[in-house]
Amino acid sequence: MWRGFRRICLQRRGRGPERRRRHAYIRTCSSNGLWRFDMAQERGRLTGRVCVVAGAGGDMGEAVARRFAHEGGIVVGIDRRSHAIGEFALVADLDDEAAVQGAYGQVAERYGRIDVLYNNAGPLDPEDHSALDTTLATWNRVVASILTVTWLSCKHAIPHMGKGAFAGSVINTSSFLAGMGASTGQMAFNAAKAGVEQLSRDLGVHLARRNIRVNALAVGPIETSEMRATFERLGPEQAKRRFTHMPMGRFGTLEELAATAAYLASDDAGFVTATSFPLNGGIPNAFTVP
């Protein structure tokens, strides 16, 4: 089914060497004699690129994988659970270094390189509270599942990047909470995501001359099945109160998340690196009174 989906996309867009040009620009002359440039329909920006989605299971990972395929990418999905996401679906424990190294080795052996890496790490832990109350075991578990997992994927995927005709792009999922003070719990999560942002900045600077871009994607509340279930448990009054703090009055959509990831993966973001890219609906800049 997955391969059929991608085959349809490729048939609709066509193939050939001209596909390397992402846009066709048509120069026309307006009635006042000035030149105008119109951009023709955008074509697949990731055509022929090997795109790895680490943490492909779940709503967000699958949405990004599907968008990468729609953009012409050759998608590889990696998750600790059995799945069928991507043309090449791998099962690996992403906090086990030997397993991670082996998974990226398989990708490189099969395709010769990696062009795009999307690290989808960051589950919330119900035991993660204030730093004054959280146990050491919980703290270590949260940091390992977010920061360590991201680092391991970067460590073992990046050596296979920049080996083809395409620039490399690494996208590490962060959170808008990494840049805000938290008055409530999940402080291990926030600290780990802040670490992901710093790791992305450091790697982005370090790899810039090797034609590999590294960015963090600071994600706000996205409407996943898990998020909907959480708000349903809160009830309408509590949900309404939380939406007061969201300037746009809604969640971000999976389509918006996937489109932003595709932008960062593509050459359209060719001058974007070593930064934290916000996708948060303006929440950090809002001043609201509940």
Side-chain angles (χ1 to χ4, degrees), residues 35-47:
W35 290 106
R36 184 179 77 247
F37 290 85
D38 296 324
M39 188 166 67
Q41 184 177 4
E42 187 178 29
R43 301 190 178 187
R45 295 176 293 182
L46 303 178
T47 300

Side-chain angles (χ1 to χ4, degrees), residues 47-287:
T47 300
R49 304 188 190 210
V50 180
C51 304
V52 177
V53 178
D59 294 346
M60 291 195 286
E62 184 169 0
V64 170
R66 287 192 177 277
R67 179 58 184 254
F68 284 177
H70 179 72
E71 295 271 3
I74 302 165
V75 177
V76 177
I78 305 177
D79 201 86
R80 68 177 63 213
R81 295 167 295 184
S82 179
H83 65 95
I85 298 171
E87 293 195 1
F88 187 31
L90 292 172
V91 176
D93 189 344
L94 291 169
D95 61 5
D96 182 312
E97 183 165 15
V100 173
Q101 184 176 18
Y104 288 113
Q106 289 184 63
V107 177
E109 182 178 2
R110 186 181 182 108
Y111 298 107
R113 69 188 193 281
I114 295 169
D115 299 307
V116 176
L117 170 64
Y118 182 85
N119 274 317
N120 183 43
L124 291 173
D125 191 307
E127 301 300 318
D128 181 13
H129 304 297
S130 165
L132 302 181
D133 303 323
T134 299
T135 66
L136 179 59
T138 298
W139 181 275
N140 287 340
R141 183 172 64 247
V142 172
V143 171
S145 68
I146 296 173
L147 181 55
T148 303
V149 161
T150 300
W151 164 63
L152 284 174
S153 275
C154 288
K155 178 180 178 180
H156 293 290
I158 288 173
H160 302 295
M161 302 182 78
K163 296 184 178 299
F166 305 114
S169 177
V170 178
I171 306 155
N172 297 321
T173 53
S174 178
S175 169
F176 73 106
L177 294 169
M180 300 177 65
S183 61
T184 56
Q186 65 184 48
M187 290 187 183
F189 174 92
N190 297 349
K193 287 296 188 181
V196 168
E197 293 198 349
Q198 187 59 46
L199 176 65
S200 302
R201 280 189 288 268
D202 288 344
L203 285 173
V205 172
H206 181 65
L207 298 170
R209 296 295 178 95
R210 289 172 53 183
N211 205 25
I212 299 172
R213 297 180 295 106
V214 185
N215 293 290
L217 179 55
V219 178
I222 302 297
E223 188 172 8
T224 62
S225 55
E226 183 180 5
M227 183 68 74
R228 287 194 300 271
T230 298
F231 269 62
E232 287 172 3
R233 286 195 299 269
L234 290 173
E237 288 301 319
Q238 287 296 322
K240 181 179 178 181
R241 181 174 180 178
R242 281 162 173 74
F243 276 120
T244 301
H245 296 273
M246 301 181 188
M248 299 184 74
R250 66 172 179 86
F251 297 124
T253 67
L254 288 168
E255 292 77 14
E256 289 166 335
L257 167 68
T260 305
Y263 163 71
L264 290 173
S266 76
D267 289 342
D268 285 346
F271 204 53
V272 180
T273 195
T275 193
S276 177
F277 197 91
L279 181 68
N280 54 45
I283 295 174
N285 299 316
F287 177 79

